[in-house]
Amino acid sequence: MKTSTSGRGSAIGLVGFDGDDTLWKSEDYYRKAEQDYLDLLSHYIDVHDTRTARHLLDVQRRNLALFGYGVKAMTLSMIEAAIEITDSRVSAKHIQRMLDIGHDTLRHPVELIDGVRESVAKIAEDHPVVLITKGDLFHQEAKIKVAQLHDLFPRIEIVSEKDPETYARVLAEFDLPINQFVMVGNSLRSDIEPVVTLGGWGVHTPYAVTWAHETEHGVADDEPRMVTADTAWDWPAALQAIEAKAASARGA
């Protein structure tokens, strides 16, 4: 069933928002979990060697196709990486502690980033909005519930990956041309690159910390289909700038 959008005459017909580190804080808790993991490994190896943290990242990437994203995937990768890097010397006690790290991370507070609710509400006055977030289904659903965002987003998409195929599917559900879609997010790799590649628009709001996997992308600093907004408070103005660009492109 296709979901209709309003404002067909406008240059922008739908605005999508990322979840983690765009609407609410997330990566801070993953960084703490990674530091706790390294503290455990210090009983076995030199954790000051940059290859130690790199090894965990390599294992996480290797497992993406199997485990996907999120805390549960991170926890399983921690255990696997610890067994590998210690040549199976890691104790059952420390493996249990890694499970505890995962449990603690799943229960982290959900803190909306300053300006999010006000700016999304303002944008939603004139444009349909959709929340498109990736990760573990149960954890993402729990965060959305705690953040009390259902009143802002009539449509919520929790996806396993953010790639051109995923965005194309979502836009097909809305029966909307990609050049009328704007994605707002902190990740150039997941929120901006796939959308502008398809011909859509992006609003990039960098977060203070970013997972290394998400820093690898092909978006140029002067990408013409992207506007940078330093904070959530800047989203309405950034959207106006994109609307002007999109209207100019339609009239060309």
Side-chain angles (χ1 to χ4, degrees):
M1 172 184 255
K2 293 184 185 291
T3 303
S4 63
T5 58
S6 61
R8 292 278 176 182
S10 65
I12 298 302
L14 180 67
V15 182
F17 291 86
D18 170 52
D20 290 342
D21 300 317
T22 297
L23 301 182
W24 55 73
K25 298 179 180 181
S26 176
E27 187 61 26
D28 310 72
Y29 302 103
Y30 282 86
R31 289 295 177 92
K32 182 183 183 304
E34 182 178 310
Q35 185 56 56
D36 290 343
Y37 163 80
L38 293 175
D39 290 344
L40 289 176
L41 286 188
S42 67
H43 292 85
Y44 306 93
I45 60 174
D46 177 14
V47 295
H48 299 293
D49 188 332
T50 57
R51 289 174 295 183
T52 303
R54 181 74 186 186
H55 177 257
L56 174 59
L57 178 62
D58 289 341
V59 172
Q60 288 177 299
R61 283 175 169 159
R62 187 174 73 204
N63 285 334
L64 279 176
L66 291 173
F67 302 150
Y69 296 89
V71 176
K72 296 170 189 175
M74 175 197 70
T75 304
L76 288 171
S77 291
M78 280 182 175
I79 294 171
E80 183 177 331
I83 292 171
E84 287 182 359
I85 205 166
T86 65
D87 294 323
S88 299
R89 290 182 294 117
V90 62
S91 68
K93 175 183 176 181
H94 285 144
I95 289 177
Q96 177 61 59
R97 178 61 191 127
M98 290 175 204
L99 289 172
D100 293 340
I101 290 170
H103 292 158
D104 291 343
T105 308
L106 282 170
R107 291 191 288 262
H108 73 70
V110 179
E111 182 182 352
L112 281 184
I113 294 171
D114 190 40
V116 159
R117 178 168 286 278
E118 295 86 347
S119 290
V120 173
K122 183 174 180 58
I123 290 170
E125 291 176 359
D126 300 312
H127 301 280
V129 296
V130 58
L131 171 55
I132 307 175
T133 185
K134 74 178 178 183
D136 177 77
L137 177 63
F138 289 169
H139 193 205
Q140 292 294 316
E141 285 182 334
K143 286 191 281 190
I144 292 166
K145 182 178 180 179
V146 172
Q148 299 181 343
L149 292 174
H150 284 283
D151 62 315
L152 289 179
F153 294 100
R155 176 77 175 266
I156 294 171
E157 290 278 342
I158 301 173
V159 299
S160 58
E161 184 59 276
K162 284 182 171 179
D163 51 23
E165 291 76 18
T166 298
Y167 285 106
R169 175 185 62 78
V170 172
L171 269 295
E173 288 291 321
F174 281 89
D175 192 21
L176 186 80
I178 185 65
N179 63 1
Q180 293 182 34
F181 176 65
V182 179
M183 184 66 188
V184 181
N186 72 293
S187 172
L188 289 169
R189 178 191 181 99
S190 296
D191 302 318
I192 307 300
E193 184 170 15
V195 174
V196 300
T197 297
L198 288 171
W201 304 86
V203 174
H204 179 226
T205 300
Y207 190 64
V209 287
T210 303
W211 184 32
H213 178 69
E214 294 293 334
T215 63
E216 298 177 357
H217 60 84
V219 181
D221 292 339
D222 59 350
E223 166 57 52
R225 304 188 74 84
M226 178 184 77
V227 170
T228 298
D230 292 333
T231 72
W233 293 107
D234 300 313
W235 289 344
L239 184 59
Q240 286 182 349
I242 284 182
E243 283 186 294
K245 288 187 175 188
S248 177
R250 286 177 65 179

